[in-house]
Amino acid sequence: MQTKTKYALILLACSSSFITGCGGSAETKNDAEDSVTAATAPKKEYLSQPLVSHIYTADPSAHVFNGRIYIYPSHDTATGTPENDNGDHFNMMDYHILSMDSVGGNVTDHGVALDIKNIPWAGRQLWAPDAAFANNTYYLYFPVKDKQDVFHIGVATGSKPEGPFVAEKEPIKGSYSIDPCVFKDDDGAFYMYFGGIWGGQLQRWDNNKYDSAGKLKQAGEQAILPRVAKLDKSMKQYDGQVKEIKIVDKDGRLFTEKDNDKRFFEAAWMHKYNGKYYLSYSTGDTHNICYATGTSPYGPFTYQGVLLKPVDGWTNHQSIVEFNGKWYLFYHDVQLSGKTHLRNVKVTELKYNDDGSIQTIDPYK
Ligand code: FUB
């Protein structure tokens, strides 16, 4: 995830600022330092409204626990950190878990579930989390930079889905980069999907080895692939090596970097529908949420298309969950703030065609 000047241009071209009907007002402290505004864009009507507006939230990972929907989002904050190409201004410092008993019902903010100051190994930037339930325990998985400014993925545990969570003293051994998605398969095995290029540092990891000088790929080179690792029974360690996940076109070919409207960038999410594995992800600099399907949790996955078109804002990040027989897409945009790094989470229904393909969602009406 990155914040080049072109983000501002894209945002100006596609954003709007409808805030009526959102209820309450979002945090505004320090907003003045943020350079991006939505002033000149033509007004479009949003498909959905923000789920909460008293805080900024992003990267919603939704799960159903005990018959209730829990959302594990990033908590965006205007800290005054200057914007740069590494996304330093995405300088989040805690997590709030949200929940609701139905889509469209009241949303509860359960308060601070984990604070960066209580993560012994953390340096800065708490990015997109996820959660899982096993061993009678709730696990919160989170990416954060360590004190050397390298992203790893940590785990914290709690007895309730909304926390509070207590972080382990070290990151998960062998973990790196950002955006963990923890998926439970029908046989009870858990897999963590992860990775993000640019500010997410995935380009620094080749063969699970770190190289601080690791470079992004050139247009004709094979695109960087997302990663997967099985979790062991403790849910705090990987069971074996981290593997690359192949995403291929209908002819079985891997994408190159110039296929940047289709290749993986960040925000991996796994769900299963009618026995098939669906890997969805953001294409980052082209702002699509795409998906690819396969028959094994390790892939390969065959590209199927765009499931969510670009939203208002630079980043696009989704989760997909079934609740009471319907499927929902959780996502975010910048409707409340008009600023790249001050986002708000939303939900809309997701529909499949008879052949299992997903109907493309336009975030505007
Ligand atoms: O919220 C920080 C980063 O922005 C996430 O990790 C990315 O997926 C993007 O949404």
Side-chain angles (χ1 to χ4, degrees), residues 35-51:
S35 58
V36 181
T37 65
T40 60
K43 294 253 187 287
K44 282 189 183 175
E45 204 179 338
Y46 294 99
L47 178 65
S48 306
Q49 291 300 312
L51 286 174

Side-chain angles (χ1 to χ4, degrees), residues 321-328 349-350:
V321 69
E322 186 181 18
F323 184 65
N324 288 346
K326 286 188 169 181
W327 286 86
Y328 294 96
E349 194 176 344
L350 174 141

Side-chain angles (χ1 to χ4, degrees), residues 1-2 58-59 74-76 87 90-92 125-129 143 151 178-180 195-196 200 265-268 282 314-318 332 340-341 343:
M1 206 247 355
Q2 186 155 331
D59 310 322
S74 299
H75 176 197
D76 285 355
F90 289 87
N91 192 11
M92 295 86 103
Q125 295 183 284
L126 273 181
W127 283 12
F151 268 117
I178 60 165
D179 290 1
F265 187 101
E266 62 187 4
S282 169
W314 198 91
T315 65
N316 202 352
H317 190 127
Q318 82 301 346
H332 67 225
T340 310
H341 65 297
R343 301 160 290 180

Side-chain angles (χ1 to χ4, degrees), residues 289-326:
I289 300 294
C290 293
Y291 74 106
T293 57
T295 55
S296 154
Y298 292 110
F301 297 98
T302 305
Y303 179 83
Q304 301 295 338
V306 172
L307 78 83
L308 175 63
K309 291 181 180 175
V311 297
D312 189 1
W314 198 91
T315 65
N316 202 352
H317 190 127
Q318 82 301 346
S319 68
I320 295 168
V321 69
E322 186 181 18
F323 184 65
N324 288 346
K326 286 188 169 181

Side-chain angles (χ1 to χ4, degrees), residues 46-341:
Y46 294 99
L47 178 65
S48 306
Q49 291 300 312
L51 286 174
V52 293
S53 55
H54 63 293
I55 56 172
Y56 293 115
T57 53
D59 310 322
S61 293
H63 291 274
V64 178
F65 294 129
N66 311 320
R68 194 171 169 83
I69 301 172
Y70 286 85
I71 306 164
Y72 298 81
S74 299
H75 176 197
D76 285 355
T77 317
T79 58
T81 312
E83 200 167 315
N84 67 14
D85 284 357
N86 285 327
D88 280 0
H89 57 308
F90 289 87
N91 192 11
M92 295 86 103
M93 291 180 295
D94 63 24
Y95 293 118
H96 283 227
I97 314 309
L98 308 176
S99 74
M100 52 196 192
D101 60 12
S102 63
V103 171
N106 284 339
V107 181
T108 304
D109 172 358
H110 295 274
V112 176
L114 178 64
D115 193 301
I116 196 166
K117 66 176 187 292
N118 296 323
I119 303 171
W121 57 274
R124 59 180 182 139
Q125 295 183 284
L126 273 181
W127 283 12
D130 195 19
F133 177 70
N135 308 326
N136 224 15
T137 301
Y138 292 90
Y139 297 86
L140 180 72
Y141 297 93
F142 56 87
V144 68
K145 283 180 178 164
D146 66 14
K147 296 183 198 304
Q148 285 71 48
D149 237 22
V150 179
F151 268 117
H152 294 282
I153 296 168
V155 58
T157 54
S159 57
K160 290 186 286 183
E162 69 270 28
F165 294 98
V166 177
E168 294 293 300
K169 291 196 169 49
E170 303 283 343
I172 295 175
K173 200 164 167 232
S175 73
Y176 52 87
S177 195
I178 60 165
D179 290 1
C181 158
V182 174
F183 163 76
K184 184 182 184 184
D185 208 346
D186 299 335
D187 62 359
F190 286 87
Y191 300 86
M192 181 186 286
Y193 298 83
F194 65 92
I197 62 174
W198 295 20
Q201 302 180 341
L202 189 58
Q203 66 277 6
R204 298 186 187 179
W205 294 87
D206 190 24
N207 257 326
N208 299 329
K209 299 227 164 41
Y210 183 69
D211 173 5
S212 62
K215 292 216 169 23
L216 292 166
K217 300 296 180 192
Q218 298 297 310
E221 292 183 293
Q222 186 199 299
I224 293 170
L225 300 171
R227 309 293 154 93
V228 61
K230 195 172 184 188
L231 291 171
D232 75 6
K233 294 268 180 267
S234 77
M235 299 291 284
K236 296 177 180 174
Q237 297 292 331
Y238 294 151
D239 184 2
Q241 285 282 302
V242 170
K243 298 181 200 311
E244 287 187 341
I245 302 168
K246 290 196 167 67
I247 302 172
V248 295
D249 67 14
K250 297 244 157 83
D251 298 320
R253 277 191 299 253
L254 289 164
F255 293 125
T256 59
E257 181 57 24
K258 69 173 173 317
D259 300 314
N260 66 339
D261 58 338
K262 300 182 190 71
R263 63 93 173 88
F264 172 80
F265 187 101
E266 62 187 4
W269 183 262
M270 174 58 66
H271 77 278
K272 214 169 173 182
Y273 176 73
N274 281 350
K276 230 189 240 179
Y277 296 86
Y278 285 66
L279 176 70
S280 51
Y281 55 91
S282 169
T283 60
D285 53 343
T286 50
H287 319 286
N288 292 319
I289 300 294
C290 293
Y291 74 106
T293 57
T295 55
S296 154
Y298 292 110
F301 297 98
T302 305
Y303 179 83
Q304 301 295 338
V306 172
L307 78 83
L308 175 63
K309 291 181 180 175
V311 297
D312 189 1
W314 198 91
T315 65
N316 202 352
H317 190 127
Q318 82 301 346
S319 68
I320 295 168
V321 69
E322 186 181 18
F323 184 65
N324 288 346
K326 286 188 169 181
W327 286 86
Y328 294 96
L329 173 78
F330 287 78
Y331 65 107
H332 67 225
D333 65 19
V334 300
Q335 178 178 345
L336 289 176
S337 75
K339 297 181 176 71
T340 310
H341 65 297

